[in-house]
Amino acid sequence: MAENTELMTVDNICNRVYVIRGQQVMLDYDLADIYGYEVKRLNEQVKRNITRFPEDFMFQLTLEECLRSQIVTLNPERGKHLKYMPYAFTEQGVAMLSSVLRSETAIAINIRIMRTFVSVRQQIYSRQSISTELEAIRAKLLLLERNDEDNLEAINDLSEDVRREIDNIYQAIAALSAREPQPRPRKIGFKTGQ
């Protein structure tokens, strides 16, 4: 059992936390493996102290939940069907297990499991805040894209107006250069002999 505590890292435990019925839970066979118990023995301890485990601490999975979630792997040596549906322990249920399983190993592992639940909760919170920030960034990008489209439209309108003005200037220059040259008007005044 001492080896088991050293091998259990937050990541190892985190991989055994599932979301079922909208709650973070750990299943009895994972807990039994972590604590170094047989599933049957762990469940016996729980049943002896069943008053400590109300439904918000522990519940039994239905066959449909087991099949749909694909978290329960069937043992090919023992057959294809589960004899008993596994129990799911919420964070409070796992904390209560430490009072039922009184060994030093159980207490040490239980502390790691509690830290894992906190870590998972923080990850979920940070993902939600990141999702919120991403949505805000997407909204700003859409606004910028719309502004860019409006600006391009305005530039196109402006460049069309400028092109028309330039055409008018060329036409005026062409009209001025197309006129026949006027003879120079005679100078007014007296001619001197020079």
Side-chain angles (χ1 to χ4, degrees):
M1 261 195 258
E3 287 180 19
N4 202 19
T5 33
E6 292 172 10
L7 295 176
M8 277 299 121
T9 63
V10 172
D11 288 337
N12 291 344
I13 296 170
C14 193
N15 291 333
R16 298 176 185 210
V17 175
Y18 305 102
V19 177
I20 300 174
R21 298 182 192 174
Q23 297 180 342
Q24 293 179 18
V25 297
M26 291 187 76
L27 301 178
D28 59 0
Y29 58 85
D30 284 332
L31 288 167
D33 182 46
I34 291 170
Y35 286 124
Y37 280 78
E38 291 180 30
V39 178
K40 183 177 181 178
R41 299 295 169 235
L42 181 115
N43 287 335
E44 282 175 359
Q45 291 290 345
V46 169
K47 287 177 185 174
R48 284 184 189 138
N49 298 284
I50 198 67
T51 56
R52 294 180 181 217
F53 296 95
E55 281 206 22
D56 57 330
F57 282 32
M58 176 191 80
F59 55 87
Q60 192 168 23
L61 298 182
T62 63
L63 179 62
E64 184 179 308
E65 287 171 328
C66 289
L67 295 175
R68 182 179 43 189
S69 65
Q70 297 180 351
I71 54 178
V72 179
T73 55
L74 301 175
N75 188 344
E77 296 170 11
R78 293 188 174 175
K80 296 180 181 177
H81 303 288
L82 291 172
K83 187 173 181 182
Y84 301 105
M85 294 299 115
Y87 287 98
F89 292 84
T90 63
E91 184 175 353
Q92 295 89 353
V94 173
M96 188 59 71
L97 271 176
S98 67
S99 66
V100 173
L101 308 173
R102 295 186 179 135
S103 70
E104 291 296 319
T105 304
I107 293 169
I109 290 176
N110 206 57
I111 290 170
R112 287 194 180 144
I113 291 173
M114 291 299 104
R115 288 182 178 147
T116 301
F117 272 108
V118 170
S119 172
V120 169
R121 192 178 311 115
Q122 288 172 343
Q123 287 175 1
I124 289 171
Y125 177 74
S126 69
R127 285 181 187 156
Q128 288 173 344
S129 66
I130 289 171
S131 294
T132 305
E133 290 174 16
L134 283 175
E135 286 302 316
I137 290 170
R138 284 186 188 122
K140 286 178 183 177
L141 282 174
L142 284 174
L143 184 63
L144 287 173
E145 285 176 2
R146 285 188 201 125
N147 288 342
D148 283 349
E149 289 172 4
D150 292 344
N151 289 341
L152 285 175
E153 224 174 275
I155 289 170
N156 284 339
D157 291 345
L158 184 62
S159 63
E160 187 66 29
D161 292 342
V162 169
R163 190 188 56 77
R164 277 194 222 115
E165 289 297 322
I166 290 174
D167 286 347
N168 288 341
I169 291 170
Y170 280 135
Q171 287 174 0
I173 291 172
L176 288 174
S177 63
R179 290 187 187 163
E180 290 183 25
Q182 297 286 332
R184 281 189 171 176
R186 277 194 285 160
K187 292 184 179 181
I188 300 178
F190 297 105
K191 289 185 184 179
T192 60
Q194 296 173 349

